Every structure is written in structure tokens, then in C-alpha cells.
Amino acid sequence: MTERDRRQRFDDLYALYDKRILAYCIYVLGDRDLANDVYQEVFVKAYQSLHTIRKSVKEVNWLFRIARNECLNTLKARQRNDRRSMRIDDAEHLLVTRDGVVEQNEAEHLHRALEQLPIVYRDAILLAEFEGFSLKEIAEITGVSLSNVKVRIHRSKRKLHQIREPIL
């Protein structure tokens, strides 16, 4: 792959997925500034290793796997045990009702519920429900079996329901 081809491929990937990767990083990390740093690192690593991607792998899955690994590495490095919170206005563009209207109170409750999930469950539910990945794609991104993905999503939905039940 020539340098020109590599740059064009990277520009295409960036144009298609930059907002989704940033939103994912914000949700996983819960800190917009930290997410911006990780987001930039994701695209630096993607550019550096673009030549290694196999043709059999979907580029979006490959990119989300880099994002996921960077987010998890950041969480481990900072050894945060405290719950992180993201400003609700940052999440509003992701949480839309059927009418296209976001109820701020509902967005806040959902975000707080998501923060209470263990990272592996939060990760699975975000990839499935907010990013629209198939179960097979989530397995590829997270590096776990398809059955494990199904279990994580089921448990995260059950846990979210338990957390939100008093609110509803």
C-alpha cells in the first residue's frame, strides 16, 4: 500500500466513523476531555497500523476494537474506582425518543444507570444498542465468544431494568 493510498483509506475511515468513535469513548470513559485524548490516540494507532488490517475483517469492527482496547487501557492505567459522570448535554445527541425529542430527565437517568454497569456489560450494551453492531460483530470487537456476548447483553439489560425500575 502506497503512502497516498494509506492516507486516502485513513481519511475515508475517519470521515465515516469519527463521531461514532468519539461518542463511544465518551460513554465508556465518562469524561469528555479524557475521551478526546483517547479518541485521538485511536486514530493515531489506526493510521499507524492500517497496513496490518486483513481483508476479511470489517474496517469498522477493527476500528472499534482499537477504540475499546484504548478505553480499557486508559481505565486500567488510571485505576479509577469512582463513578465517572458525563454532562447530559453530551449524551443528548445519542439518546433520542421515537419522536426525535430527548427528555433530559430520561437521558440523565439512563446515563446514570449505564454508569452503574460493570464495564464489560456497559461495553456490550453500548455496542449493540447505541452503535447498532450485530452480536457477531461485537464478539469480534471484544474478542469474546458469541455466546458470551449474548450473556453480557442479556445481563446488562436485566441490570439496567433493575436499576431503572424504581424510576419507571
Side-chain angles (χ1 to χ4, degrees), residues 40-98:
Q40 290 177 16
E41 188 63 29
V42 167
F43 281 101
V44 167
K45 287 193 176 190
Y47 182 78
Q48 291 171 340
S49 59
L50 195 55
H51 65 283
T52 65
I53 189 170
R54 296 183 318 258
K55 292 184 191 255
S56 64
V57 175
K58 288 175 67 176
E59 290 175 333
V60 65
N61 295 359
W62 173 78
L63 195 56
F64 266 88
R65 185 174 192 119
I66 293 171
R68 178 182 183 272
N69 289 340
E70 284 301 307
C71 287
L72 293 178
N73 288 341
T74 299
L75 289 172
K76 288 176 190 174
R78 297 203 53 190
Q79 295 180 351
R80 286 188 172 180
N81 292 326
D82 60 321
R83 296 289 180 198
R84 288 159 296 282
S85 64
M86 178 178 77
R87 292 187 317 262
I88 296 308
D89 58 325
D90 292 336
E92 285 183 4
H93 71 281
L94 296 174
L95 301 170
V96 180
T97 64
R98 289 187 184 117

Side-chain angles (χ1 to χ4, degrees), residues 5 22 24 29 45-46 51 64 70 72 78-79 83-84 101 111 123 126 137 141 149 151-154 168:
D5 292 339
L22 179 58
Y24 174 77
L29 299 171
K45 287 193 176 190
H51 65 283
F64 266 88
E70 284 301 307
L72 293 178
R78 297 203 53 190
Q79 295 180 351
R83 296 289 180 198
R84 288 159 296 282
V101 177
H111 182 72
D123 202 26
L126 289 174
E137 290 170 325
I141 291 167
V149 168
V151 168
R152 287 179 180 186
I153 290 173
H154 174 75
L168 302 175

